[in-house]
């Protein structure tokens, strides 16, 4: 069984979607541990509820970002992860961390990369992107995106809820592709079943 480690900072609804997908055998892997940089993250409770070891590390206890990440890496590596999944992890990663998990580090962003700030822009669609993490902030190769409509009069909460519903579908799917060896990162691009994905990921419609 492949090993998954998930990093969170908050609610953990994406973590929950991945826990559920593992339980339903939609992902052929096991979440070995969950780590948070916030001790009160609700996602830690979700992990414990699912009998997954859940730990938090407080930044205040460390002299530097590098020292924090070094400790985190050590704790993560104790679980021999095949993939490290960032699921609402709200902390900038040190270059050493990114390098250490290079090509096996996934993130989800509530935006149609490379665009952001939808409501301010007056866009008619919003969305979410799952991507590999590289040194370029939010700039790693996109694997899969989902779009949602933005209607007139929508509040930010309306749009967020619509986006999150999509996240809970696409993130477990991408994790399952990776775990099954179908998805890889190579030459700074994402590859699915040996095919190089376009800049907007799988099934891009433009
Ligand atoms: C998600 O919208 C994700 O795109 C972003 O942070 C949010 C985390 O939500 N990176 P949750 O903690 O998974 O509920």
């Amino acid at each position: 069984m492949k090993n998954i480690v998930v990093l969170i900072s908050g609610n953990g609804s994406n973590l929950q979607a991945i826990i559920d997908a593992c339980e339903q055998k939609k992902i052929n892997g096991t979440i070995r541990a969950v780590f948070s940089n916030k001790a009160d993250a609700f996602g830690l409770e979700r992990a414990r509820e699912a009998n997954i070891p859940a730990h938090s590390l407080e930044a205040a206890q460390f002299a530097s970002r590098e020292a924090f990440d070094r400790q985190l890496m050590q704790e993560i590596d104790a679980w021999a992860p095949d993939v490290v999944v960032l699921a609402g992890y709200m902390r900038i990663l040190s270059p050493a961390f990114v390098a250490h998990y290079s090509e096996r580090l996934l993130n989800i962003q509530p935006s149609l990369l490379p665009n952001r700030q939808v409501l301010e822009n007056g866009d008619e669609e919003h969305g979410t992107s799952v991507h590999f993490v590289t040194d370029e902030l939010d700039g790693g190769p996109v694997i899969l995106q989902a779009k949602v409509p933005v209607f007139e009069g929508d509040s930010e909460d309306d749009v967020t809820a619509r986006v999150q519903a999509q996240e809970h579908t696409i993130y477990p799917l991408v994790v399952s592709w990776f775990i099954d060896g179908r998805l890889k990162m190579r030459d700074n691009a994402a590859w699915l079943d040996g095919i190089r994905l376009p800049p907007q990921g799988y099934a891009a419609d433009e």
Side-chain angles (χ1 to χ4, degrees), residues 10-15 46 87-90 107-110 128 163-164 167-168:
N11 180 26
S13 66
N14 281 286
L15 165 67
R46 295 180 189 267
Y89 183 64
M90 309 296 281
N107 186 36
I108 191 159
Q109 276 290 322
T128 174
V163 166
Q164 285 225 329
E167 292 191 334
H168 301 159

Side-chain angles (χ1 to χ4, degrees), residues 22-198:
C22 289
E23 282 174 358
Q24 294 159 12
K25 313 253 182 274
K26 290 181 184 162
I27 296 175
N28 296 312
T30 306
I31 303 178
R32 297 292 179 199
V34 171
F35 293 92
S36 171
N37 63 323
K38 300 280 171 203
D40 61 354
F42 182 63
L44 291 171
E45 284 182 39
R46 295 180 189 267
R48 289 185 191 115
E49 186 68 26
N51 295 315
I52 299 166
H55 308 281
S56 65
L57 273 78
E58 290 289 336
Q61 315 266 312
F62 296 87
S64 65
R65 182 175 307 284
E66 287 66 30
F68 178 94
D69 278 2
R70 258 198 308 277
Q71 177 66 25
L72 183 58
M73 282 190 262
Q74 201 174 320
E75 296 195 22
I76 290 173
D77 286 350
W79 302 96
D82 294 288
V83 63
V84 174
V85 176
L86 307 178
Y89 183 64
M90 309 296 281
R91 197 175 149 78
I92 294 171
L93 303 168
S94 61
F97 188 99
V98 174
H100 186 66
Y101 298 109
S102 165
E103 302 184 352
R104 52 179 173 137
L105 186 56
L106 299 173
N107 186 36
I108 191 159
Q109 276 290 322
S111 62
L112 287 171
L113 292 171
N115 296 323
R116 299 149 185 261
Q117 297 177 327
V118 163
L119 287 185
E120 293 100 272
N121 294 349
D123 292 351
E124 285 169 8
E125 64 183 10
H126 190 24
T128 174
S129 310
V130 179
H131 63 101
F132 281 108
V133 177
T134 63
D135 262 345
E136 208 182 317
L137 189 65
D138 301 338
V142 174
I143 301 157
L144 185 60
Q145 295 189 324
K147 292 180 178 172
V148 302
V150 177
F151 300 114
E152 224 175 295
D154 268 348
S155 67
E156 212 170 308
D157 284 354
D158 295 331
V159 179
T160 301
R162 214 170 286 139
V163 166
Q164 285 225 329
Q166 294 300 317
E167 292 191 334
H168 301 159
T169 304
I170 68 169
Y171 213 1
L173 180 61
V174 169
V175 173
S176 80
W177 287 346
F178 190 88
I179 289 291
D180 290 344
R182 296 179 56 192
L183 172 69
K184 298 205 171 358
M185 189 182 131
R186 206 170 65 227
D187 305 332
N188 203 38
W191 297 71
L192 183 64
D193 297 331
I195 295 168
R196 187 187 177 117
L197 296 178

Side-chain angles (χ1 to χ4, degrees), residues 6-18:
V6 183
L7 269 52
I8 59 163
S9 298
N11 180 26
S13 66
N14 281 286
L15 165 67
Q16 188 67 56
I18 295 167

